[in-house]
Amino acid sequence: MIDHNGGGETAARWARVRGRLRTECGETVYRSWLRSLTLVRCDGASVVLSVPSRFVRDRVTTQYGDRLRALWAIEDAAIRSVEVTVAQGAAAEAPADRALAAATAGDGDSAEHHEPVELAAPAVFRSNDPTDALSAPLDPRFTFANFVVGKPNELAFAAARRVADSETVPFNPLFLYGGVGLGKTHLMHAIAWNLREKHPQRRMLYMSAEKFMYQFIRALRFKDTVAFKDLFRSVDVLMIDDVQFISGKDSTQEEFFHTFNALVDRNRQVIISADKSPNDLDGLEERLRSRLGWGLVADIHPTTYELRLGILQSKAERLEVSIPSKVLEFLAHKITSNVRELEGALNRIVAHTTLVGRPITIESTQEGLHDLLKSHDRRVTIEEIQRKVASHFNLRITDMHSARRSRSIARPRQIAMYLAKQLTHRSLPEIGRKFGGRDHTTVMHAVKKVDELRAADRHFDEDVDMLRRMLES
């Protein structure tokens, strides 16, 4: 029910907010998540909205709350906060809703849910500033506190923190690059959140390169390029995500080039992300590539096993789900493509296990991710077994062939022989030759010894089983 204090005008404002949301988010997202939003009241500095369930409330708050608040503030400068509540009389949610929310959120929602959720405004909010309407929504999960740092991303993280914390411009531009799902957008959002909290007076504009192009084309269409230039060249911080999108688009590149120069000349911070370094971006003018490489270029390398495991452990803590360490190790070994896929896999097994009421095990993980793991199916070789076992026990590949007989080397070598017998069609003499020309009786002894140890030692059995699953899945 709408508060009738100025109800007609309030309803019109709400209609405009909904219309903008529908346009920005698209029809599918709007129908799935935003259509059920109802205006309860709007009084003074606050707006109260309702949705039919906690599940929808949490999704709306996490993904679209920042944008809702910005759009309301544009309509009415007095609005300082937006509150999303669950409608009275709404049906209680099933216990699996939280896991479902994480699974459908892509990277997953991890905050404990309480009612109501208030979307508080920053200390200074420029409700009449056009940049607030143009800036892309920020994901509250993408903060520095939630970013797991490791060797592959430590330079990019340190550079992002320096830019976010500095009162001046430390290097211009900051250019972050790396493959899909390695954390570029996370760092961009983290910088934006930090700037909003520590330097709310600075005018910040964050958007994708695609959105920049769209706004430029719109300005050309409506013969409003002067306003476009004034807007983009007046900000204190310009953040452009996925700049590779403007490759081959000459007019957009021309405008971006002049915008970039104008901001740098005025000592305004520019932050760029892309999937490749400036020199490797095809379809960009040479002068633009040169400008993009002026400041600090920080790359994010593919993740290591240790970093992937750290990310999974951090994610599991935020989800407040107890997951066996063997399962996390299995995922960290198996899913090496990118962090987005890794976290998505974790969300899936949590949701799947919660829904069917089974404990999280390596078996249930394989069942829940069968399609993802199937794409990695391939014929196992002895060389691959040796590499995997050596890596697991922190040995060199040469230790698999050496004559050294210390237990720290002999036991992993026996495990590798055992797995070669189990997972390949090679004969015992062939396996022996692959392990430094050993006799087939040595392989037979290794297989027998590993079988005995598996029966007697549960932890040893789990280690061997995990290695076998990683190799054959």
Side-chain angles (χ1 to χ4, degrees):
M1 178 180 294
I2 299 175
D3 181 31
H4 291 289
N5 183 14
E9 185 178 353
T10 299
R13 288 171 179 162
W14 176 225
R16 288 193 292 271
V17 169
R18 288 170 67 98
R20 289 192 182 104
L21 279 173
R22 192 171 195 159
T23 300
E24 290 180 9
C25 299
E27 194 63 31
T28 301
V29 169
Y30 180 82
R31 284 200 307 268
S32 299
W33 300 106
L34 303 173
R35 185 168 58 181
S36 62
L37 277 167
T38 301
L39 178 61
V40 178
R41 67 177 180 275
C42 175
D43 65 30
S46 66
V47 172
V48 178
L49 306 172
S50 71
V51 290
S53 73
R54 289 177 59 196
F55 181 34
V56 175
R57 189 276 316 274
D58 295 335
R59 175 72 173 197
V60 169
T61 300
T62 300
Q63 299 294 325
Y64 313 106
D66 188 64
R67 196 69 192 134
L68 270 169
R69 178 178 49 74
L71 292 174
W72 266 106
I74 291 169
E75 290 294 329
D76 185 347
I79 298 298
R80 303 292 298 174
S81 67
V82 176
E83 185 179 316
V84 180
T85 62
V86 178
Q88 292 185 358
E93 292 176 295
D97 275 346
R98 183 172 180 183
L100 282 171
T104 56
D107 289 329
D109 301 331
S110 58
E112 184 68 38
H113 306 317
H114 301 284
E115 296 183 43
V117 171
E118 183 175 326
L119 311 173
V124 177
F125 186 75
R126 299 174 303 280
S127 57
N128 294 320
D129 193 330
T131 60
D132 291 318
L134 278 180
S135 285
L138 299 178
D139 192 321
R141 296 165 300 170
F142 292 167
T143 63
F144 286 125
N146 289 338
F147 191 85
V148 180
V149 185
K151 192 81 173 172
N153 58 29
E154 59 184 359
L155 173 61
F157 177 82
R161 285 236 62 141
R162 175 70 63 84
V163 168
D165 292 337
S166 181
E167 296 286 345
T168 59
V169 178
F171 19 74
N172 217 4
L174 170 61
F175 190 100
L176 304 172
Y177 78 91
V180 174
L182 296 182
K184 301 186 301 297
T185 297
H186 188 141
L187 286 178
M188 296 280 277
H189 283 226
I191 293 171
W193 281 119
N194 207 73
L195 288 171
R196 180 170 288 182
E197 177 186 352
K198 294 188 175 181
H199 308 288
Q201 75 284 356
R202 296 171 74 175
R203 303 180 71 231
M204 179 183 67
L205 182 54
Y206 167 64
M207 62 171 53
S208 66
E210 181 181 11
K211 183 77 174 290
F212 179 89
M213 186 189 74
Y214 168 78
Q215 291 297 328
F216 177 58
I217 292 173
R218 187 175 183 276
L220 290 175
R221 179 184 174 191
F222 292 101
K223 296 179 174 59
D224 198 19
T225 54
V226 173
F228 175 90
K229 295 175 189 292
D230 289 344
L231 173 62
F232 278 86
R233 299 179 192 186
S234 65
V235 298
D236 297 305
V237 182
L238 177 63
M239 306 175 69
I240 301 294
D241 214 349
D242 292 324
V243 77
Q244 72 273 4
F245 183 83
I246 65 173
S247 294
K249 300 172 176 64
D250 295 340
S251 296
T252 303
Q253 284 188 46
E254 178 81 14
E255 182 55 37
F256 182 74
F257 174 80
H258 292 301
T259 298
F260 177 92
N261 281 343
L263 291 173
V264 172
D265 288 345
R266 297 172 190 171
N267 202 33
R268 308 290 175 82
Q269 182 70 64
V270 180
I271 306 167
I272 308 291
S273 81
D275 60 353
K276 298 177 182 177
S277 70
N279 289 334
D280 294 329
L281 286 173
D282 296 328
L284 282 190
E285 295 180 9
E286 183 58 38
R287 60 176 182 170
L288 182 54
R289 275 205 298 267
S290 175
R291 296 295 193 277
L292 292 177
W294 265 1
L296 176 63
V297 177
D299 59 336
I300 304 178
H301 297 286
T303 56
T304 60
Y305 166 76
E306 291 78 14
L307 180 56
R308 292 193 297 274
L309 185 57
I311 290 169
L312 287 170
Q313 290 168 341
S314 174
K315 178 73 174 177
E317 288 176 7
R318 296 202 303 272
L319 286 175
E320 297 182 4
V321 177
S322 178
I323 300 176
S325 59
K326 294 295 182 183
V327 172
L328 297 181
E329 292 169 8
F330 175 76
L331 289 175
H333 271 298
K334 287 300 298 179
I335 302 176
T336 61
S337 52
N338 61 66
V339 175
R340 195 173 300 155
E341 189 173 90
L342 187 68
E343 292 191 339
L346 184 62
N347 289 332
R348 282 176 58 180
I349 67 168
V350 171
H352 173 79
T353 307
T354 304
L355 287 169
V356 300
R358 291 172 54 190
I360 299 176
T361 63
I362 291 182
E363 289 79 6
S364 66
T365 298
Q366 285 188 303
E367 181 180 335
L369 302 177
H370 64 92
D371 57 326
L372 182 60
L373 299 176
K374 185 179 179 181
S375 64
H376 298 284
D377 280 351
R378 59 193 183 280
R379 186 180 295 275
V380 180
T381 65
I382 293 177
E383 289 77 13
E384 184 180 4
I385 292 170
Q386 291 173 338
R387 283 195 300 271
K388 187 69 71 177
V389 173
S391 174
H392 183 74
F393 289 99
N394 294 317
L395 301 177
R396 297 169 300 178
I397 290 292
T398 54
D399 291 328
M400 293 287 111
H401 313 108
S402 74
R404 296 174 62 187
R405 303 185 61 163
S406 63
R407 177 171 292 187
S408 62
I409 293 176
R411 189 71 77 224
R413 191 163 54 217
Q414 289 176 329
I415 292 173
M417 291 181 186
Y418 172 86
L419 291 171
K421 176 66 171 64
Q422 299 293 320
L423 301 178
T424 73
H425 298 293
R426 296 296 188 94
S427 66
L428 294 179
E430 287 178 310
I431 295 173
R433 284 194 292 270
K434 291 286 186 178
F435 285 84
R438 285 174 164 79
D439 189 80
H440 73 281
T441 57
T442 304
V443 180
M444 290 173 61
H445 173 74
V447 172
K448 181 180 178 182
K449 186 64 178 178
V450 171
D451 273 332
E452 291 173 353
L453 289 171
R454 293 191 69 178
D457 187 335
R458 181 172 61 86
H459 294 296
F460 182 86
D461 178 59
E462 288 177 352
D463 255 358
V464 175
D465 190 56
M466 184 184 70
L467 282 166
R468 181 180 63 81
R469 289 180 183 278
M470 285 191 299
L471 286 161
E472 69 181 0
S473 297

mmCIF file of all heavy atoms in Angstrom, residues 46 60 66 68 80-81 90 123 144 177 195 211 214 222 226 243 255 286 345 348 360 379 385 401 404 407 425 428:
data_model
loop_
_atom_site.group_PDB
_atom_site.id
_atom_site.type_symbol
_atom_site.label_atom_id
_atom_site.label_comp_id
_atom_site.label_asym_id
_atom_site.label_seq_id
_atom_site.Cartn_x
_atom_site.Cartn_y
_atom_site.Cartn_z
ATOM 1 N N SER A 46 13.097 8.219 3.575
ATOM 2 C CA SER A 46 13.163 6.771 3.397
ATOM 3 C C SER A 46 12.039 6.243 2.522
ATOM 4 O O SER A 46 10.944 6.799 2.474
ATOM 5 C CB SER A 46 13.129 6.065 4.762
ATOM 6 O OG SER A 46 11.881 6.271 5.382
ATOM 7 N N VAL A 60 17.225 -9.363 -4.460
ATOM 8 C CA VAL A 60 17.030 -7.973 -4.878
ATOM 9 C C VAL A 60 18.011 -7.064 -4.147
ATOM 10 O O VAL A 60 18.636 -6.179 -4.739
ATOM 11 C CB VAL A 60 15.569 -7.530 -4.627
ATOM 12 C CG1 VAL A 60 15.420 -6.023 -4.793
ATOM 13 C CG2 VAL A 60 14.624 -8.256 -5.574
ATOM 14 N N ASP A 66 21.755 -1.336 -4.661
ATOM 15 C CA ASP A 66 22.496 -0.099 -4.890
ATOM 16 C C ASP A 66 21.839 0.732 -5.991
ATOM 17 O O ASP A 66 21.725 1.956 -5.885
ATOM 18 C CB ASP A 66 23.937 -0.454 -5.266
ATOM 19 C CG ASP A 66 24.832 0.769 -5.326
ATOM 20 O OD1 ASP A 66 25.023 1.404 -4.280
ATOM 21 O OD2 ASP A 66 25.347 1.075 -6.423
ATOM 22 N N LEU A 68 18.626 0.572 -6.938
ATOM 23 C CA LEU A 68 17.339 1.066 -6.451
ATOM 24 C C LEU A 68 17.510 2.368 -5.683
ATOM 25 O O LEU A 68 16.765 3.338 -5.891
ATOM 26 C CB LEU A 68 16.690 0.017 -5.542
ATOM 27 C CG LEU A 68 15.770 -1.014 -6.189
ATOM 28 C CD1 LEU A 68 15.440 -2.107 -5.181
ATOM 29 C CD2 LEU A 68 14.484 -0.349 -6.690
ATOM 30 N N ARG A 80 17.238 9.167 1.478
ATOM 31 C CA ARG A 80 18.539 8.769 1.986
ATOM 32 C C ARG A 80 18.698 7.250 2.094
ATOM 33 O O ARG A 80 19.808 6.743 2.173
ATOM 34 C CB ARG A 80 18.779 9.376 3.381
ATOM 35 C CG ARG A 80 18.666 10.877 3.415
ATOM 36 C CD ARG A 80 19.771 11.542 2.658
ATOM 37 N NE ARG A 80 21.076 11.251 3.235
ATOM 38 C CZ ARG A 80 22.223 11.624 2.703
ATOM 39 N NH1 ARG A 80 22.250 12.264 1.551
ATOM 40 N NH2 ARG A 80 23.364 11.332 3.292
ATOM 41 N N SER A 81 17.594 6.523 2.158
ATOM 42 C CA SER A 81 17.709 5.065 2.297
ATOM 43 C C SER A 81 16.500 4.384 1.681
ATOM 44 O O SER A 81 15.428 4.972 1.559
ATOM 45 C CB SER A 81 17.830 4.659 3.777
ATOM 46 O OG SER A 81 16.633 4.938 4.472
ATOM 47 N N ALA A 90 3.586 -13.472 3.989
ATOM 48 C CA ALA A 90 4.293 -14.268 2.971
ATOM 49 C C ALA A 90 4.643 -15.633 3.538
ATOM 50 O O ALA A 90 4.940 -15.789 4.712
ATOM 51 C CB ALA A 90 5.563 -13.543 2.523
ATOM 52 N N ALA A 123 27.984 8.438 3.021
ATOM 53 C CA ALA A 123 28.018 9.645 3.834
ATOM 54 C C ALA A 123 27.597 10.877 3.055
ATOM 55 O O ALA A 123 26.875 11.733 3.554
ATOM 56 C CB ALA A 123 29.426 9.840 4.393
ATOM 57 N N PHE A 144 37.449 -5.642 -0.966
ATOM 58 C CA PHE A 144 38.818 -6.074 -0.702
ATOM 59 C C PHE A 144 38.845 -7.166 0.362
ATOM 60 O O PHE A 144 39.676 -8.074 0.309
ATOM 61 C CB PHE A 144 39.672 -4.887 -0.255
ATOM 62 C CG PHE A 144 40.038 -3.944 -1.368
ATOM 63 C CD1 PHE A 144 39.739 -2.591 -1.288
ATOM 64 C CD2 PHE A 144 40.684 -4.410 -2.504
ATOM 65 C CE1 PHE A 144 40.072 -1.721 -2.312
ATOM 66 C CE2 PHE A 144 41.028 -3.551 -3.542
ATOM 67 C CZ PHE A 144 40.714 -2.199 -3.441
ATOM 68 N N TYR A 177 44.660 -6.470 -16.125
ATOM 69 C CA TYR A 177 44.277 -7.403 -17.178
ATOM 70 C C TYR A 177 44.500 -8.847 -16.752
ATOM 71 O O TYR A 177 45.333 -9.147 -15.904
ATOM 72 C CB TYR A 177 45.018 -7.097 -18.486
ATOM 73 C CG TYR A 177 46.446 -7.579 -18.556
ATOM 74 C CD1 TYR A 177 46.766 -8.838 -19.069
ATOM 75 C CD2 TYR A 177 47.487 -6.770 -18.118
ATOM 76 C CE1 TYR A 177 48.086 -9.277 -19.145
ATOM 77 C CE2 TYR A 177 48.811 -7.191 -18.186
ATOM 78 C CZ TYR A 177 49.103 -8.450 -18.706
ATOM 79 O OH TYR A 177 50.401 -8.885 -18.782
ATOM 80 N N LEU A 195 36.386 3.760 -2.465
ATOM 81 C CA LEU A 195 36.314 5.198 -2.763
ATOM 82 C C LEU A 195 35.012 5.798 -2.241
ATOM 83 O O LEU A 195 34.997 6.904 -1.696
ATOM 84 C CB LEU A 195 36.424 5.421 -4.275
ATOM 85 C CG LEU A 195 37.804 5.192 -4.907
ATOM 86 C CD1 LEU A 195 37.703 5.243 -6.421
ATOM 87 C CD2 LEU A 195 38.795 6.240 -4.405
ATOM 88 N N LYS A 211 28.868 0.038 -22.305
ATOM 89 C CA LYS A 211 27.970 1.112 -21.879
ATOM 90 C C LYS A 211 28.513 2.470 -22.321
ATOM 91 O O LYS A 211 27.757 3.362 -22.709
ATOM 92 C CB LYS A 211 27.813 1.074 -20.354
ATOM 93 C CG LYS A 211 26.837 2.100 -19.785
ATOM 94 C CD LYS A 211 25.403 1.689 -20.001
ATOM 95 C CE LYS A 211 24.434 2.645 -19.302
ATOM 96 N NZ LYS A 211 24.490 2.523 -17.828
ATOM 97 N N TYR A 214 27.580 2.797 -25.871
ATOM 98 C CA TYR A 214 26.143 3.049 -26.001
ATOM 99 C C TYR A 214 25.820 4.508 -25.699
ATOM 100 O O TYR A 214 25.039 5.145 -26.416
ATOM 101 C CB TYR A 214 25.384 2.123 -25.046
ATOM 102 C CG TYR A 214 23.927 2.479 -24.871
ATOM 103 C CD1 TYR A 214 22.994 2.147 -25.851
ATOM 104 C CD2 TYR A 214 23.494 3.160 -23.739
ATOM 105 C CE1 TYR A 214 21.661 2.489 -25.699
ATOM 106 C CE2 TYR A 214 22.161 3.501 -23.577
ATOM 107 C CZ TYR A 214 21.246 3.167 -24.560
ATOM 108 O OH TYR A 214 19.944 3.511 -24.411
ATOM 109 N N PHE A 222 21.169 12.016 -30.583
ATOM 110 C CA PHE A 222 20.359 13.142 -30.117
ATOM 111 C C PHE A 222 21.111 14.464 -30.175
ATOM 112 O O PHE A 222 20.665 15.456 -29.593
ATOM 113 C CB PHE A 222 19.872 12.876 -28.684
ATOM 114 C CG PHE A 222 18.880 11.754 -28.580
ATOM 115 C CD1 PHE A 222 19.280 10.496 -28.144
ATOM 116 C CD2 PHE A 222 17.554 11.945 -28.949
ATOM 117 C CE1 PHE A 222 18.375 9.459 -28.053
ATOM 118 C CE2 PHE A 222 16.640 10.903 -28.863
ATOM 119 C CZ PHE A 222 17.038 9.649 -28.422
ATOM 120 N N VAL A 226 28.111 17.550 -26.670
ATOM 121 C CA VAL A 226 28.731 18.502 -25.738
ATOM 122 C C VAL A 226 28.449 18.091 -24.302
ATOM 123 O O VAL A 226 29.343 18.069 -23.451
ATOM 124 C CB VAL A 226 28.215 19.931 -25.995
ATOM 125 C CG1 VAL A 226 28.737 20.885 -24.914
ATOM 126 C CG2 VAL A 226 28.660 20.414 -27.379
ATOM 127 N N VAL A 243 37.703 -3.026 -21.577
ATOM 128 C CA VAL A 243 37.953 -2.032 -22.618
ATOM 129 C C VAL A 243 38.177 -2.680 -23.981
ATOM 130 O O VAL A 243 38.066 -2.016 -25.023
ATOM 131 C CB VAL A 243 39.148 -1.138 -22.226
ATOM 132 C CG1 VAL A 243 40.465 -1.867 -22.449
ATOM 133 C CG2 VAL A 243 39.125 0.189 -22.978
ATOM 134 N N GLU A 255 36.680 9.030 -29.289
ATOM 135 C CA GLU A 255 36.117 9.763 -28.166
ATOM 136 C C GLU A 255 36.742 9.328 -26.851
ATOM 137 O O GLU A 255 37.037 10.153 -25.978
ATOM 138 C CB GLU A 255 34.602 9.565 -28.113
ATOM 139 C CG GLU A 255 33.909 10.336 -26.997
ATOM 140 C CD GLU A 255 34.208 11.823 -27.054
ATOM 141 O OE1 GLU A 255 34.295 12.385 -28.168
ATOM 142 O OE2 GLU A 255 34.382 12.425 -25.970
ATOM 143 N N GLU A 286 47.157 2.586 -32.301
ATOM 144 C CA GLU A 286 48.463 2.564 -31.656
ATOM 145 C C GLU A 286 48.580 3.645 -30.587
ATOM 146 O O GLU A 286 49.124 3.414 -29.503
ATOM 147 C CB GLU A 286 49.574 2.747 -32.697
ATOM 148 C CG GLU A 286 50.988 2.669 -32.133
ATOM 149 C CD GLU A 286 51.261 1.349 -31.426
ATOM 150 O OE1 GLU A 286 50.782 0.307 -31.910
ATOM 151 O OE2 GLU A 286 51.946 1.377 -30.384
ATOM 152 N N ALA A 345 30.935 -24.046 -9.047
ATOM 153 C CA ALA A 345 30.909 -25.479 -8.725
ATOM 154 C C ALA A 345 30.609 -25.693 -7.245
ATOM 155 O O ALA A 345 29.833 -26.577 -6.870
ATOM 156 C CB ALA A 345 32.243 -26.123 -9.100
ATOM 157 N N ARG A 348 26.998 -25.121 -6.546
ATOM 158 C CA ARG A 348 26.160 -26.219 -7.040
ATOM 159 C C ARG A 348 26.139 -27.403 -6.089
ATOM 160 O O ARG A 348 25.084 -27.981 -5.821
ATOM 161 C CB ARG A 348 26.642 -26.658 -8.423
ATOM 162 C CG ARG A 348 26.199 -25.733 -9.545
ATOM 163 C CD ARG A 348 26.771 -26.159 -10.879
ATOM 164 N NE ARG A 348 26.413 -27.524 -11.240
ATOM 165 C CZ ARG A 348 26.803 -28.118 -12.368
ATOM 166 N NH1 ARG A 348 27.574 -27.452 -13.219
ATOM 167 N NH2 ARG A 348 26.438 -29.344 -12.648
ATOM 168 N N ILE A 360 28.007 -33.868 2.188
ATOM 169 C CA ILE A 360 28.921 -33.491 1.103
ATOM 170 C C ILE A 360 30.132 -34.409 1.146
ATOM 171 O O ILE A 360 30.908 -34.396 2.097
ATOM 172 C CB ILE A 360 29.343 -32.020 1.232
ATOM 173 C CG1 ILE A 360 28.126 -31.101 1.136
ATOM 174 C CG2 ILE A 360 30.357 -31.666 0.153
ATOM 175 C CD1 ILE A 360 28.449 -29.638 1.347
ATOM 176 N N ARG A 379 41.942 -39.929 -21.632
ATOM 177 C CA ARG A 379 42.658 -41.168 -21.324
ATOM 178 C C ARG A 379 43.825 -40.866 -20.389
ATOM 179 O O ARG A 379 44.652 -39.996 -20.656
ATOM 180 C CB ARG A 379 43.169 -41.811 -22.608
ATOM 181 C CG ARG A 379 43.803 -43.189 -22.383
ATOM 182 C CD ARG A 379 44.272 -43.754 -23.696
ATOM 183 N NE ARG A 379 43.152 -44.002 -24.579
ATOM 184 C CZ ARG A 379 42.413 -45.103 -24.578
ATOM 185 N NH1 ARG A 379 42.685 -46.070 -23.706
ATOM 186 N NH2 ARG A 379 41.414 -45.261 -25.417
ATOM 187 N N ILE A 385 49.926 -39.640 -14.350
ATOM 188 C CA ILE A 385 49.849 -40.158 -12.977
ATOM 189 C C ILE A 385 51.095 -39.747 -12.200
ATOM 190 O O ILE A 385 51.012 -39.291 -11.053
ATOM 191 C CB ILE A 385 49.704 -41.690 -12.995
ATOM 192 C CG1 ILE A 385 48.334 -42.085 -13.561
ATOM 193 C CG2 ILE A 385 49.878 -42.262 -11.583
ATOM 194 C CD1 ILE A 385 48.188 -43.569 -13.835
ATOM 195 N N HIS A 401 61.470 -41.866 -11.053
ATOM 196 C CA HIS A 401 62.334 -42.782 -11.804
ATOM 197 C C HIS A 401 63.626 -43.123 -11.062
ATOM 198 O O HIS A 401 64.388 -43.987 -11.511
ATOM 199 C CB HIS A 401 62.719 -42.159 -13.159
ATOM 200 C CG HIS A 401 61.571 -41.574 -13.903
ATOM 201 N ND1 HIS A 401 61.385 -40.217 -14.045
ATOM 202 C CD2 HIS A 401 60.527 -42.165 -14.535
ATOM 203 C CE1 HIS A 401 60.279 -39.987 -14.737
ATOM 204 N NE2 HIS A 401 59.746 -41.149 -15.046
ATOM 205 N N ARG A 404 66.365 -43.864 -5.421
ATOM 206 C CA ARG A 404 66.298 -43.523 -3.997
ATOM 207 C C ARG A 404 65.197 -44.323 -3.318
ATOM 208 O O ARG A 404 64.105 -44.478 -3.865
ATOM 209 C CB ARG A 404 66.071 -42.023 -3.828
ATOM 210 C CG ARG A 404 67.206 -41.165 -4.355
ATOM 211 C CD ARG A 404 66.884 -39.693 -4.297
ATOM 212 N NE ARG A 404 66.663 -39.247 -2.911
ATOM 213 C CZ ARG A 404 66.233 -38.031 -2.594
ATOM 214 N NH1 ARG A 404 65.951 -37.163 -3.562
ATOM 215 N NH2 ARG A 404 66.070 -37.700 -1.320
ATOM 216 N N ARG A 407 61.535 -43.495 2.511
ATOM 217 C CA ARG A 407 60.079 -43.666 2.519
ATOM 218 C C ARG A 407 59.351 -42.477 1.901
ATOM 219 O O ARG A 407 58.328 -42.647 1.240
ATOM 220 C CB ARG A 407 59.596 -43.882 3.954
ATOM 221 C CG ARG A 407 58.074 -43.984 4.050
ATOM 222 C CD ARG A 407 57.601 -44.417 5.418
ATOM 223 N NE ARG A 407 57.968 -45.786 5.687
ATOM 224 C CZ ARG A 407 57.552 -46.461 6.758
ATOM 225 N NH1 ARG A 407 56.779 -45.869 7.652
ATOM 226 N NH2 ARG A 407 57.927 -47.711 6.945
ATOM 227 N N HIS A 425 45.898 -49.561 -19.129
ATOM 228 C CA HIS A 425 45.885 -50.931 -19.630
ATOM 229 C C HIS A 425 47.311 -51.460 -19.840
ATOM 230 O O HIS A 425 47.490 -52.509 -20.476
ATOM 231 C CB HIS A 425 45.106 -51.004 -20.947
ATOM 232 C CG HIS A 425 43.664 -50.604 -20.807
ATOM 233 N ND1 HIS A 425 42.765 -51.343 -20.093
ATOM 234 C CD2 HIS A 425 42.985 -49.536 -21.293
ATOM 235 C CE1 HIS A 425 41.571 -50.761 -20.147
ATOM 236 N NE2 HIS A 425 41.684 -49.662 -20.868
ATOM 237 N N LEU A 428 52.419 -55.056 -16.411
ATOM 238 C CA LEU A 428 53.331 -54.794 -15.298
ATOM 239 C C LEU A 428 54.751 -54.474 -15.773
ATOM 240 O O LEU A 428 55.378 -53.542 -15.259
ATOM 241 C CB LEU A 428 53.338 -55.984 -14.332
ATOM 242 C CG LEU A 428 52.024 -56.255 -13.585
ATOM 243 C CD1 LEU A 428 52.166 -57.478 -12.682
ATOM 244 C CD2 LEU A 428 51.592 -55.052 -12.776
#
